[in-house]
Amino acid sequence: MRILLLLLAAMLLMPFQTVSAGEFKGGGGDLTPGTITYGDPPAQVDPAKPVLVFVQGLTNDSTTWYDGNSMYDTAREAGYETVFVELHDSGGEPKSYWDNGAMLAGQLDDISAHFNGKEIVVVGYSKGGVDTQVALIHEGRHSLVSDVITIGSPHDGSELADLANSTSLGWLADLIGQNSEGTQSLQTGVMNHFRSITDSRPEVQQNRYFTLAGDRTGPIFSSYWFGSGFISGPSDGVVSVESATLPYGTMLSVGNWNHGEVHQGENAFPFMQSVLTGQAGAASLMEAAAEDSLSTLVKGGQQDGEATETMVIEQEADSVSFSWMSMEPLAELELVKPDGSVDVVQVEAEEDETPFFKGAYHHLVDLENPAAGEWTVRADDNGSQAYGLVAQFESELNDQLHVRAEDNNRSFRAESDFPAVNRAGREALEVNADIRFTPGEPGAGRAFGQAVSEYRQQARGQAPDRIAVGSRGAGVYNAVVRVSGHAPSGTAFERSAVRSVFTDEDGQSY
């Protein structure tokens, strides 16, 4: 009995390395949502060095920090104690930042108690940076944390989230399981609302914020290159530099990294170290490109057997690069040119790496000096139930076509810098929109998603170039605005703009 008591006493004196998970052992622990895993302590624990809490991004789990990423090893070798949390993304359908932030708040309570109130720095990757702000600002855990470092975080949302919720590509995102509540919460209109109820709160001033961003969208024809066509200004292929910036934060660096590279230890940790040692300086930001130019065309829908889609190319276009997106890989696509001739194009399937279309395949085709007129793309039945056609134009028309928000974000006006002619021969653009309306706001207890409706709106009347949104009450309006007409050359053109607007209960739109 005495030996048993001595053994029990010895066990109680041993360091307890988890609150709700097993030992890290250099390879991670339990990935169940809500789990906290403590990294192996450094060779010598320095009480003056803060604890680093790593928060994953959309569709990630904690392995994003140590599986194929040197971040954990680099931080530990530099003498920092590390902690990894699992949020809803780790074990099922990703949730909004409201749900993840509430879970993270409870985890921060446990982590702070585990380290007896030692200083904590939170490092959030992608959506994890937004989840962190909910925990600190809206859930009141700012006093537990000194600094926050966000890496490639979509503080203003991502245009790819708009695209994934559009009528054109929403089918595909739904079927591959990526159109989750987490994706829906990152639409730009929803995030504009989040910023309006977050950035003015006094809790914002209780922590220091530092940000990191990438401006590499390559390699060419990769999924990051594809994403850059919908994002205004420099981006990492998923999040723009502008969106990765906080007005009250310090931008540490805008590096030559895509979204999959921006949080790698060899890229991010040297700049994190400048924060941890009190030597952080601000990086210079690149000037963003004009937000309202039109260079893309997006179409798509359900597929039952062979899928066919068309795109109109104007004479002014120097080149058009397009991706045929599907649920299964293809070996070839059939192109019907404006003169009726047919080309069979061999394609390579590139699996998407972004959090919004992960699991889909891109089949990329580059058309140099394409003939003006209507092109048809055909894809054989390959088991896909949905498809998408996403084209990027290199054309002098791009900077002469615009879709601008007006009327306090309640409408979008299409304009051209040249006298565009519609099919009736009048000087006017043809404008319509396919709109997906989702009532409520993404997040716990917000009655989101009931009775999702899709409808088409034709611009008519006194404002034939304007599309109005917000008429169906509070919720998210995702609009694919389609603009067409005839260019100065006399040949037809068409473009698409994907926009999201959140309208609150008071009728204010964001």
Side-chain angles (χ1 to χ4, degrees):
M1 183 67 179
R2 184 177 179 183
I3 294 175
L4 179 61
L5 289 173
L6 288 172
L7 286 172
L8 288 172
M11 290 174 65
L12 290 172
L13 291 173
M14 292 174 64
F16 187 56
Q17 279 294 305
T18 66
V19 172
S20 55
E23 292 178 78
F24 186 75
K25 296 181 180 178
D30 184 359
L31 302 181
T32 304
T35 298
I36 302 168
T37 301
Y38 294 86
D40 295 331
Q44 184 172 352
V45 175
D46 185 345
K49 288 185 175 180
V51 177
L52 303 184
V53 177
F54 291 95
V55 183
Q56 80 268 22
L58 181 68
T59 73
N60 299 144
D61 54 41
S62 67
T63 62
T64 194
W65 295 110
Y66 50 79
D67 187 359
N69 186 347
S70 63
M71 180 64 81
Y72 163 66
D73 288 334
T74 302
R76 182 169 176 266
E77 289 167 5
Y80 293 94
E81 295 168 285
T82 56
V83 186
F84 302 89
V85 298
E86 310 298 338
L87 302 180
H88 288 287
D89 302 68
S90 298
E93 182 178 351
K95 296 291 186 180
S96 77
Y97 35 76
W98 297 116
D99 299 274
N100 275 1
M103 178 177 285
L104 179 58
Q107 292 169 317
L108 288 173
D109 287 337
D110 292 340
I111 293 167
S112 181
H114 179 82
F115 288 102
N116 298 314
K118 189 178 182 181
E119 180 186 0
I120 290 173
V121 172
V122 178
V123 183
Y125 169 52
S126 196
K127 179 173 170 286
V130 185
D131 297 337
T132 299
Q133 284 208 292
V134 171
L136 303 189
I137 297 170
H138 293 277
E139 297 290 338
R141 299 313 194 274
H142 53 84
S143 62
L144 304 180
V145 172
S146 59
D147 299 330
V148 178
I149 303 171
T150 69
I151 305 176
S153 292
H155 296 297
D156 294 324
S158 172
E159 290 89 338
L160 290 190
D162 294 345
L163 191 62
N165 285 278
S166 69
T167 55
S168 296
L169 294 193
W171 283 107
L172 183 60
D174 284 339
L175 289 169
I176 60 176
Q178 298 302 330
N179 197 357
S180 65
E181 196 172 277
T183 299
Q184 292 159 357
S185 70
L186 291 180
Q187 294 176 83
T188 56
V190 180
M191 283 303 301
N192 287 342
H193 174 251
F194 177 78
R195 298 260 64 91
S196 75
I197 62 174
T198 300
D199 293 347
S200 60
R201 291 178 62 123
E203 294 90 341
V204 166
Q205 306 302 322
Q206 301 305 307
N207 304 106
R208 296 192 305 167
Y209 285 89
F210 301 88
T211 57
L212 278 164
D215 61 7
R216 172 171 135 86
T217 58
I220 190 169
F221 292 149
S222 69
S223 51
Y224 297 118
W225 174 85
F226 150 79
S228 67
F230 287 89
I231 301 173
S232 300
S235 77
D236 62 10
V238 174
V239 179
S240 69
V241 172
E242 183 177 9
S243 184
T245 305
L246 282 169
Y248 42 82
T250 299
M251 176 60 76
L252 298 173
S253 179
V254 179
N256 184 31
W257 316 306
N258 65 34
H259 196 68
E261 299 166 342
V262 68
H263 70 310
Q264 295 290 316
E266 62 270 24
N267 297 330
F269 191 80
F271 298 98
M272 291 169 48
Q273 183 80 313
S274 70
V275 172
L276 302 173
T277 57
Q279 299 174 349
S284 60
L285 298 181
M286 300 174 67
E287 184 177 350
E291 293 186 4
D292 57 6
S293 62
L294 290 184
S295 62
T296 57
L297 176 69
V298 55
K299 295 184 176 182
Q302 292 177 283
Q303 179 175 349
D304 183 12
E306 181 185 80
T308 300
E309 195 57 85
T310 63
M311 60 179 173
V312 173
I313 301 178
E314 71 275 7
Q315 184 176 307
E316 287 83 350
D318 295 322
S319 67
V320 177
S321 300
F322 71 87
S323 169
W324 184 273
M325 298 178 66
S326 64
M327 298 170 61
E328 302 292 338
L330 293 169
E332 63 183 32
L333 291 170
E334 189 176 86
L335 297 184
V336 182
K337 299 178 181 179
D339 62 6
S341 60
V342 178
D343 282 348
V344 177
V345 180
Q346 304 301 310
V347 292
E348 293 186 9
E350 179 85 24
E351 190 168 4
D352 193 280
E353 299 177 53
T354 73
F356 301 110
F357 292 101
K358 188 179 294 182
Y361 290 88
H362 295 274
H363 306 86
L364 294 140
V365 178
D366 190 27
L367 303 175
E368 292 290 336
N369 300 312
E374 184 176 87
W375 290 66
T376 300
V377 186
R378 293 178 184 153
D380 288 338
D381 180 10
N382 65 335
S384 285
Q385 297 171 281
Y387 71 92
L389 172 67
V390 182
Q392 297 183 27
F393 288 70
E394 288 292 334
S395 171
E396 63 185 67
L397 260 59
N398 291 357
D399 293 333
Q400 302 177 56
L401 293 167
H402 318 277
V403 170
R404 296 183 170 117
E406 292 188 341
D407 190 25
N408 200 22
N409 296 307
R410 287 180 168 273
S411 65
F412 295 99
R413 176 185 287 277
E415 297 176 343
S416 63
D417 296 341
F418 55 88
V421 179
N422 63 23
R423 281 177 291 185
R426 295 192 297 269
E427 285 192 11
L429 295 171
E430 295 181 26
V431 185
N432 61 64
D434 290 323
I435 300 174
R436 172 183 278 191
F437 170 61
T438 309
E441 179 185 0
R446 287 169 170 78
F448 180 74
Q450 294 96 339
V452 174
S453 60
E454 295 183 359
Y455 60 98
R456 171 164 289 192
Q457 183 168 323
Q458 186 77 33
R460 291 193 182 98
Q462 298 301 311
D465 53 1
R466 182 179 294 157
I467 295 291
V469 295
S471 61
R472 301 198 175 191
V476 184
Y477 296 81
N478 185 293
V480 179
V481 183
R482 308 190 187 283
V483 182
S484 60
H486 284 77
S489 63
T491 57
F493 68 86
E494 62 177 342
R495 295 288 195 278
S496 303
V498 182
R499 300 287 188 267
S500 69
V501 172
F502 175 74
T503 300
D504 64 19
E505 296 289 347
D506 297 324
Q508 175 67 45
S509 294
Y510 301 87

